[in-house]
Amino acid sequence: MRIKKGIPVIDQGDRLGFWGGKFGGNFVPETLKKPIEDLEIQFNKLKNNKNFIRERDKYFKNWIGTPTRFIKLNNLTKHVGGAQIWSKVVSDANGGAHKIYNATVHCLLAKRSGKKVIIGDTGAGYAGKMLSMAAKKFGLKCKIFMGAKDIKRQQPNVKAMKKNGADVIPVYSGSQTLVDAVSECMRYWVANCDTTAMCVGSTVGPAIFVRICGWSTSQISRELKDQLINEFGEVPRKLKLYNCVGGGSSSFGFWNEFMDYDKKQVEFIGVEAGGPAKSKKHAAPLTYGSKIGILHGAAQYVNQNSDGQIEETESISAGLDYPGISPLHCFLKDAKRARYTAASDEEALKAYQIVTKYENLRPSLEPSHAFSVAIKESKKFSKDTVVIINSCGDAYKDRGILEKKLGKKYVKSN
Amino acid sequence: MLNQISLAFKKAKDEKRPALLTYTVAGDSSKKQSLEILKEISNYADILEVGIPHNTPVADGGQIQTSSYRAIKNGIKMNDIFKIVSDFKKSKNSKPVIFMGYYNMIFQYGENNFLKKCKKSGLDGLIVVDLPWPENKIFSNKCKKNSINFIQLLSPTTSNKRLKSITKDSHDMIYYISMLSTTGGKLKVSPKKILVNYNKIKKISPKKNCVIGFGITEKTISNFKNTDGLVVGSQICKEITRSLNNRQNPVINVSKMVSKLRKKIS
């Protein structure tokens, strides 16, 4: 399996939407074939349309607030004592996470196609919060599907969604987390696809949703590349990009512009959610060798039993608590372009404590997984190695969990 | 020689009525009980759809989800489902059986192994909800080679161009999804409008048996008497749930319901 150079990875799927001949595709009911095809035609046209790109960039700049900061974590670097540790603070973006890019693009597309309603799924609540923000901005009605368990553990984001005027629809089926929210959202789309646009909250789902999301979040690496050249005069010779991976939207966006660099120069490290140290359940299909299966319309590595039933996951971080993984990451793994590993709940919490102790930065539980591995590995790297962690979410939404696990002092200043 | 499915349609046509197709989930509420239900309802139904329960179904509404989760919770496995079919096929009232399921279950079993097992169990047809045309071309050909009817789905969103290609690639039976809905939705389109689409399909492909599903219940079924066949699923699943909640025997209740459905179209 090989990645072609000079062609965006999102456009490297075959005629049926498979990356590397086997990841992705369109495993959807007949009813969705037409709306998916319509969206494909629209997106393929617009992604090269100068007016559309200008419009996107206008909203990215004036509304989302790009570029987000690229900062050196001096204290953490000193504490760890190895590589230089930097962070791309994507949580600076309006709303507090990377999900805003994809939500904005989907609303722009929906508006152009004359749809009045947009629906979406959410786990940590960020995808939902951002979609509700963008829908409000662009005058669309909004429905967000969210697992009942996630509604309980991510209240701040639920409140934000409601404040933005979105209907938050609790999903009680299955494990009551992201996987069920995505299923329910797709089911709603099956029944309402003539009037309603769907936004899948990550680089998952039928191929077109993977592509749109990857195209949208790639804003992160476009900015980062400029910032690196500003800071170092070039893309550093030893660069390591750490990102948490749930569905895979922030990591893909964080890496995309550097895809064609040799991995000896720019290494990608994806950190999945290992779940509680004592539990067998996890949300790390790439790290723990899950088999290829079909989930939410796409072929991917996915946690499942021998029969093909999707297995329940467990993670402290709702945003990573998903049994599958983007087909793009399956492709990057098998093409050996990216390396994947996992951090446990406990490791993520510990990393959160370390980062907040040394830096004025408050990564949510999702990027705390990436910090955990980055801190561990940075010790062994030379001083001219540049380690960057995408701090793609803010911990405000996690205050309930943090307070429970670590005590009040870790959430006070939120 | 006609295959079992076509024969069932022919028999119904000879009696001047649509064929009645039922859908129940394998293993709902137990392996034994789902087999008993099949045996009982085959007194009235012409073709039996057996649902392969899956825990991330993207096209099923609440009723079928409830049945599926119940079956999975009670430990149903793919091999048990084959066993249910082969046991049913040995019974005296045996009728054609069609699987309805999601592709991952077939993918994990291995397409070839799966078909081998289907054939061995006596299965007649297969509906794979999330394997649309043209993605299903290779697999549907494999089915044909194994004398298993691969049933293509059509929906109100299917374009005319697609309609022609899909019916051309279909086997003896096609399935028209009456409206934009998951299973178990209320009929939100007028029967007249559904029949216009149905007749369009029949005009393009007069020889294929076309059934209508989604939104077909005791209340709506008699609107569609002049069709090749009708599928009732969610209402039956709901009846199983209702019976269990009221501590009644689902086998008896479901059988009564199917007998009533049959009367309404006879």
Side-chain angles (χ1 to χ4, degrees):
Chain A
M1 211 170 277
R2 283 180 72 173
I3 298 174
K4 291 185 200 119
K5 288 201 171 166
I7 304 170
V9 172
I10 62 156
D11 294 333
Q12 290 190 29
D14 64 17
R15 198 173 47 85
L16 294 175
F18 288 100
W19 282 272
K22 61 178 182 182
F23 301 116
N26 285 288
F27 296 89
V28 295
E30 172 63 22
T31 307
L32 291 185
K33 273 295 214 181
K34 174 78 169 48
I36 282 175
E37 196 189 297
D38 290 347
L39 190 58
E40 271 169 359
I41 293 169
Q42 189 197 22
F43 176 69
N44 285 339
K45 218 194 271 169
L46 288 177
K47 79 178 169 67
N48 300 316
N49 177 310
K50 278 191 188 135
N51 282 334
F52 184 71
I53 295 198
R54 211 174 296 137
E55 193 185 1
R56 177 198 71 179
D57 290 346
K58 185 183 87 187
Y59 287 110
F60 276 13
K61 184 160 179 259
N62 300 334
W63 187 58
I64 295 178
T66 57
T68 56
R69 281 175 300 157
F70 171 56
I71 56 170
K72 188 169 184 194
L73 305 179
N74 281 313
N75 300 332
L76 189 65
T77 300
K78 234 179 261 162
H79 166 73
V80 172
Q84 316 173 23
I85 304 178
W86 295 67
S87 180
K88 173 80 176 146
V89 192
V90 173
S91 60
D92 278 352
N94 191 5
H98 64 285
K99 298 285 186 195
I100 192 70
Y101 304 110
N102 185 45
T104 303
V105 169
H106 269 285
C107 285
L108 286 172
L109 292 171
K111 225 173 146 53
R112 288 208 175 208
S113 64
K115 298 270 164 62
K116 301 270 187 279
V117 186
I118 192 156
I119 57 168
D121 57 78
T122 197
Y126 271 135
K129 179 182 165 191
M130 307 307 173
L131 190 62
S132 71
M133 277 169 60
K136 191 177 168 195
K137 171 96 184 155
F138 296 105
L140 297 160
K141 271 195 180 162
C142 181
K143 275 182 203 292
I144 302 294
F145 295 85
M146 188 169 188
K149 182 177 166 191
D150 290 339
I151 287 184
K152 229 181 252 165
R153 62 176 164 170
Q154 308 278 228
Q155 266 301 313
N157 278 347
V158 176
K159 281 184 190 139
M161 284 181 251
K162 288 186 176 160
K163 220 170 123 191
N164 290 327
D167 281 339
V168 180
I169 298 163
V171 179
Y172 296 102
S173 54
S175 58
Q176 312 193 351
T177 58
L178 180 57
V179 64
D180 310 290
V182 180
S183 301
E184 190 61 26
C185 187
M186 284 182 81
R187 288 192 282 261
Y188 185 89
W189 201 41
V190 168
N192 298 281
C193 57
D194 49 345
T195 56
T196 301
M198 180 170 76
C199 166
V200 177
S202 188
T203 38
V204 299
I208 183 61
F209 293 98
V210 174
R211 293 178 61 220
I212 293 175
C213 186
W215 186 78
S216 308
T217 53
S218 293
Q219 172 68 20
I220 302 169
S221 51
R222 261 198 307 277
E223 288 171 16
L224 179 61
K225 199 172 170 187
D226 286 347
Q227 289 166 325
L228 281 169
I229 290 167
N230 262 336
E231 187 67 42
F232 300 98
E234 60 176 0
V235 172
R237 294 298 159 90
K238 290 181 200 164
L239 180 62
K240 303 199 182 280
L241 303 178
Y242 290 82
N243 207 124
C244 58
V245 187
S249 59
S250 73
S251 46
F252 182 79
F254 186 51
W255 298 342
N256 187 44
E257 279 294 314
F258 304 98
M259 209 55 82
D260 288 354
Y261 284 81
D262 192 292
K263 71 174 170 192
K264 282 185 196 136
Q265 184 181 356
V266 184
E267 194 188 12
F268 304 156
I269 303 98
V271 183
E272 298 185 296
K278 280 182 188 159
S279 169
K280 273 190 181 159
K281 285 188 198 162
H282 60 83
L286 293 180
T287 306
Y288 296 124
S290 300
K291 273 170 57 184
I292 296 178
I294 318 296
L295 176 64
H296 296 140
Q300 60 200 272
Y301 291 112
V302 54
N303 298 352
Q304 57 184 324
N305 70 14
S306 58
D307 248 21
Q309 306 291 3
I310 305 303
E311 273 180 346
E312 282 191 11
T313 50
E314 196 175 352
S315 167
I316 192 169
S317 123
L320 306 180
D321 207 351
Y322 187 69
I325 173 84
S326 175
L328 296 172
H329 287 289
C330 300
F331 182 46
L332 295 185
K333 179 176 193 244
D334 280 17
K336 299 197 167 67
R337 179 63 187 90
R339 165 164 72 87
Y340 296 87
T341 178
S344 69
D345 286 3
E346 292 79 2
E347 286 169 324
L349 280 168
K350 198 172 159 215
Y352 173 82
Q353 285 174 286
I354 295 171
V355 174
T356 50
K357 182 176 169 193
Y358 289 101
E359 299 290 343
N360 186 21
L361 186 70
R362 212 163 276 278
S364 66
L365 287 168
E366 288 79 12
S368 292
H369 283 74
F371 272 104
S372 165
V373 174
I375 290 170
K376 223 178 279 166
E377 294 187 352
S378 289
K379 282 179 199 156
K380 299 172 220 151
F381 296 145
S382 58
K383 285 199 162 36
D384 59 341
T385 305
V386 176
V387 161
I388 309 174
I389 302 107
N390 179 1
S391 191
C392 56
D394 182 89
Y396 178 70
K397 69 166 179 73
D398 295 324
R399 54 188 307 164
I401 302 167
L402 291 168
E403 193 177 314
K404 205 171 131 199
K405 297 273 181 187
L406 303 175
K408 271 220 158 92
K409 66 175 178 160
Y410 281 96
V411 291
K412 219 170 12 186
S413 55
N414 276 328
Chain B
M1 199 180 76
L2 280 180
N3 64 58
Q4 290 294 309
I5 290 176
S6 300
L7 206 62
F9 281 110
K10 187 175 176 295
K11 216 184 114 214
K13 224 159 267 170
D14 290 344
E15 294 173 11
K16 296 197 169 55
R17 61 172 179 87
L20 178 61
L21 290 85
T22 54
Y23 170 97
T24 49
V25 173
D28 183 25
S29 65
S30 66
K31 293 168 209 169
K32 199 174 143 223
Q33 197 170 62
S34 70
L35 175 61
E36 277 172 35
I37 289 176
L38 289 178
K39 282 181 181 169
E40 276 304 311
I41 59 181
S42 65
N43 287 315
Y44 315 104
D46 300 289
I47 297 171
L48 302 168
E49 275 182 26
V50 172
I52 301 172
H54 186 49
N55 67 358
T56 49
V58 290
D60 286 313
Q63 318 293 356
I64 291 179
Q65 278 184 53
T66 304
S67 281
S68 297
Y69 287 130
R70 195 157 49 215
I72 294 168
K73 206 176 154 207
N74 287 342
I76 191 88
K77 286 274 166 38
M78 207 50 240
N79 282 332
D80 304 321
I81 301 174
F82 285 121
K83 179 87 173 21
I84 290 172
V85 175
S86 61
D87 284 350
F88 170 71
K89 280 289 188 173
K90 283 176 210 145
S91 70
K92 61 180 173 29
N93 271 330
S94 160
K95 294 271 169 79
V97 177
I98 292 170
F99 271 160
M100 186 161 188
Y102 291 84
Y103 184 63
N104 197 38
M105 303 294 286
I106 299 170
F107 186 65
Q108 296 313 321
Y109 212 92
E111 286 186 353
N112 296 336
N113 265 343
F114 188 87
L115 288 176
K116 220 186 270 170
K117 216 49 208 261
C118 285
K119 222 176 153 180
K120 214 173 148 197
S121 325
L123 193 89
D124 301 280
L126 202 51
I127 300 173
V128 190
V129 181
D130 57 349
L131 194 64
W133 187 90
E135 279 84 354
N136 62 34
K137 272 185 168 180
I138 295 169
F139 185 62
S140 76
N141 274 330
K142 273 189 197 171
C143 289
K144 202 168 198 173
K145 273 185 202 142
N146 283 284
S147 316
I148 286 168
N149 211 309
F150 185 90
I151 295 144
Q152 300 279 2
L153 295 154
L154 300 169
S155 100
T157 55
T158 309
S159 67
N160 280 347
K161 196 178 152 212
R162 253 183 94 74
L163 195 82
K164 278 176 196 157
S165 317
I166 296 174
T167 47
K168 205 175 129 238
D169 274 357
S170 72
H171 302 164
D172 307 307
M173 173 183 162
I174 35 187
Y175 188 127
Y176 178 64
I177 298 165
S178 66
M179 55 180 174
L180 301 188
S181 172
T182 49
T183 54
K186 258 202 183 132
L187 204 61
K188 59 180 181 184
V189 187
S190 72
K192 208 172 142 192
K193 214 169 167 192
I194 294 169
L195 288 170
V196 168
N197 283 336
Y198 170 83
N199 288 325
K200 190 168 83 184
I201 299 166
K202 285 303 282 185
K203 211 171 156 190
I204 290 171
S205 179
K207 283 188 186 156
K208 308 260 161 93
N209 292 299
C210 180
V211 303
I212 302 177
F214 287 46
I216 309 293
T217 62
E218 274 183 278
K219 270 189 194 147
T220 60
I221 196 164
S222 49
N223 291 306
F224 304 98
K225 276 187 183 170
N226 293 317
T227 57
D228 294 339
L230 299 164
V231 189
V232 183
S234 291
Q235 208 190 13
I236 297 175
C237 294
K238 194 177 169 186
E239 183 64 14
I240 296 176
T241 303
R242 198 191 62 85
S243 307
L244 293 170
N245 288 344
N246 294 341
R247 296 174 180 272
Q248 291 168 348
N249 185 348
V251 183
I252 295 168
N253 289 352
V254 166
S255 167
K256 263 189 213 156
M257 174 179 272
V258 177
S259 131
K260 261 192 231 164
L261 287 163
R262 168 68 181 271
K263 268 184 206 140
K264 294 214 163 160
I265 51 168
S266 293

